[in-house]
Amino acid sequence: MSWGSEQQRYQGYEGYQGQQEYQGQQGRQGYDYGNGQQPDPYGQGRQPQIPQQYGHGQGYVDHGQGYVDHGQVYVTETAHLPVTEPEPAADAAVRIAPSPDAGEPESPAADPAPKAKGTGRDRYFDALRAVALVRVVAYHTFGWAWAGLVFPSMGVMFALAGSLMAKSLERPALKVVKSRMRRLLPPFWFWGFFVVVAMLIHDWMPGWQIVFWIVPVGDPPGNQWGIQAWEILWYLRTYLWFVLMSPLLLKVFRKAPLPVLLLSLAPILVFQYAWQPPYNRFGSGLTDFATFLFCWLVGFAHREGVLQRLKPALVILASLALLAYGGWYAFAHQAEFGTYDLDEVPVAQTFWSAGFVTLLMYFKAYYNVDFAWLARFKRLDRIVTIFNGRAVTIYLWHEIALVLAVPLIDQFWNVPAFEKWLPLESQWFMFGIGWVLIWVALPLVGWVEDVAAKKKPKLLP
């Protein structure tokens, strides 16, 4: 899961993942950029850590615990965020082109939500995705341990994706799965080409595991030099697992919605207290799947009308109970994990995210909130549109943008006016430069999402 950055959770296969630090020139204060210590999620002790240098100048630190396999490092738990998926709008007045992973267009008749109209977008869900993306980039810049408590981005993203998947499965399951994979893989391949080539240049010697760079059903391998770029791929792997399992999950869910939803919280408790998954690709994938299973299924519950039938008092009490247990677990086990960061504590992540997304989805279902008022704020509405139309691009390229921001800021120190007037030592300045680089990347590489969606390529959606 992203026990990160927007979960940065790194488990070991047979070794360790090092700390990564960009150190400042001539004793200047560095930019701490990372996610904090990555504890052993199953209480088996910490693995040793090694430093990794990324050039010179202001520093970027990313602390993680990982695993090495014959000289290759694999990260299983990292930052969050996202293949995004659109929801039908409750207000047809807001009409925007579908997100790249939205699947083929569907007629209104195929949507079980009675109030959905036309081919518009639901700006409530679009706004949640945009906030989730901003939070992911902020988390990877500042490494705030409290960020997941304020807004558990990955849980929100999986809930939104689960809702759309349930809608799409009104069509033949095989067609839906193929559509999702077609929209996910080309942007991943395009991005991965640059990352893989760069790692090969920097002495990476891949084994047969390189096949996971073709279809990421397992964590794609890489070396320590490129870890900051590829550590986020846990999300794509977990999303792909959910896509492949959704036809079966939806059938089971429809037989007993509420019991299945509640039982979806059990696997992570089993993994914590009864059986520990192995420290390999399968084990890390299984843990991430269990961590966000409830969030995916609550998306089903929203789409199937289950939430709408529940009484507000019951939903609020249940959500608060989930939040209370998740928050208590994070702080009560802070000594064990070395942090209360939800991205490092699977059980806490599961229950806190479950309570949080249940409230968000119920609020949408019960009150039919659509955020159509965004249309009155054209610039803000435009930003939300771009974020949703290029969510995969932002997620894949944001880490590279933040890494490149470090040497770029180093050059600013050579300009006396910049050194005097710009806050070059501030992480907020790095955050801003990172977003500038992300916006530069959108027209340069975002068109791949259009190609994957079989649409005419555009500089911006």
Side-chain angles (χ1 to χ4, degrees):
M1 77 189 195
S2 166
W3 303 340
S5 125
E6 254 255 35
Q7 305 170 346
Q8 305 244 343
R9 308 156 299 146
Y10 313 139
Q11 293 176 239
Y13 275 0
E14 298 173 355
Y16 52 85
Q17 167 185 324
Q19 297 178 341
Q20 300 150 20
E21 181 174 3
Y22 299 95
Q23 299 179 338
Q25 295 179 348
Q26 304 175 357
R28 292 196 299 267
Q29 177 181 353
Y31 295 94
D32 290 334
Y33 171 34
N35 306 299
Q37 293 293 337
Q38 311 299 319
D40 181 344
Y42 301 113
Q44 296 183 350
R46 290 181 176 275
Q47 302 293 330
Q49 298 181 334
I50 59 175
Q52 178 186 2
Q53 300 299 324
Y54 285 82
H56 58 84
Q58 270 51 38
Y60 169 134
V61 179
D62 190 7
H63 306 284
Q65 179 179 7
Y67 42 87
V68 178
D69 185 5
H70 303 298
Q72 301 174 3
V73 184
Y74 306 89
V75 172
T76 62
E77 301 157 1
T78 67
H80 309 280
L81 225 212
V83 173
T84 65
E85 308 188 20
E87 283 287 329
D91 186 345
V94 182
R95 300 184 181 276
I96 301 166
S99 175
D101 356 280
E104 275 72 15
E106 301 176 23
S107 65
D111 186 351
K115 294 188 178 183
K117 301 177 184 178
T119 59
R121 295 280 303 252
D122 190 311
R123 299 309 264 171
Y124 177 74
F125 285 167
D126 284 351
L128 290 180
R129 292 188 193 96
V131 172
L133 284 167
V134 173
R135 207 227 64 144
V136 166
V137 179
Y139 180 83
H140 286 163
T141 304
F142 302 99
W144 292 322
W146 48 263
L149 295 171
V150 174
F151 192 84
S153 293
M154 299 320 297
V156 171
M157 295 306 302
F158 281 118
L160 300 182
S163 179
L164 182 67
M165 194 67 186
K167 174 185 184 296
S168 297
L169 284 173
E170 297 295 327
R171 298 180 287 126
L174 182 59
K175 183 178 180 181
V176 173
V177 171
K178 289 173 63 178
S179 172
R180 291 295 184 277
M181 294 184 67
R182 188 190 74 237
R183 294 165 186 270
L184 173 67
L185 294 180
F188 165 65
W189 292 335
F190 183 82
W191 171 87
F193 172 80
F194 295 96
V195 176
V196 168
V197 169
M199 289 192 298
L200 291 173
I201 294 173
H202 288 80
D203 302 323
W204 180 44
M205 297 296 293
W208 67 267
Q209 299 91 345
I210 198 172
V211 299
F212 293 113
W213 280 98
I214 301 175
V215 180
V217 291
D219 295 313
N223 63 2
Q224 190 72 25
W225 180 87
I227 193 173
Q228 204 63 51
W230 56 260
E231 64 183 358
I232 61 173
L233 294 180
W234 73 270
Y235 176 82
L236 271 66
R237 178 253 296 150
T238 307
Y239 175 83
L240 191 56
W241 279 39
F242 276 121
V243 166
L244 295 174
M245 291 292 294
S246 280
L248 176 61
L249 287 174
L250 187 57
K251 288 183 179 180
V252 174
F253 177 82
R254 284 172 171 169
K255 292 182 181 297
L258 289 180
V260 169
L261 187 62
L262 293 176
L263 286 174
S264 67
L265 296 168
I268 196 64
L269 295 175
V270 172
F271 293 166
Q272 182 66 36
Y273 297 110
W275 176 73
Q276 299 174 3
Y279 283 95
N280 55 27
R281 285 183 176 83
F282 175 75
S284 62
L286 197 61
T287 302
D288 291 342
F289 186 86
T291 300
F292 295 104
L293 178 58
F294 182 97
C295 294
W296 191 269
L297 293 184
V298 86
F300 285 2
H302 168 264
R303 177 56 56 185
E304 295 289 298
V306 175
L307 293 180
Q308 292 92 319
R309 296 193 292 269
L310 299 177
K311 295 182 178 179
L314 176 63
V315 174
I316 292 173
L317 288 176
S319 298
L320 292 178
L322 292 170
L323 288 168
Y325 181 74
W328 168 84
Y329 192 96
F331 286 98
H333 294 77
Q334 186 173 353
E336 176 184 350
F337 292 96
T339 179
Y340 61 88
D341 189 338
L342 298 182
D343 294 336
E344 318 303 333
V345 190
V347 173
Q349 177 75 273
T350 299
F351 282 85
W352 185 270
S353 295
F356 199 96
V357 301
T358 297
L359 288 176
L360 287 179
M361 301 299 279
Y362 185 76
F363 183 71
K364 165 66 181 172
Y366 191 79
Y367 294 102
N368 195 26
V369 180
D370 57 22
F371 276 21
W373 53 264
L374 276 175
R376 299 197 299 268
F377 303 90
K378 293 184 178 180
R379 291 185 179 179
L380 180 60
D381 188 67
R382 178 62 177 153
I383 291 174
V384 170
T385 298
I386 294 173
F387 269 59
N388 279 266
R390 292 291 182 263
V392 178
T393 300
I394 293 173
Y395 183 71
L396 286 174
W397 292 89
H398 81 273
E399 285 275 29
I400 294 178
L402 290 172
V403 170
L404 293 177
V406 173
L408 179 59
I409 293 173
D410 285 347
Q411 297 304 312
F412 288 178
W413 286 95
N414 298 324
V415 181
F418 288 173
E419 183 177 3
K420 180 178 180 179
W421 298 107
L422 295 180
L424 301 182
E425 295 182 349
S426 170
Q427 285 183 298
W428 284 101
F429 186 72
M430 179 183 172
F431 182 65
I433 294 297
W435 275 110
V436 170
L437 294 177
I438 290 170
W439 281 99
V440 170
L442 292 182
L444 293 179
V445 300
W447 54 267
V448 180
E449 292 195 58
D450 293 331
V451 174
K454 296 184 177 180
K455 299 189 296 183
K456 182 180 179 180
K458 296 180 180 180
L459 294 179
L460 291 174

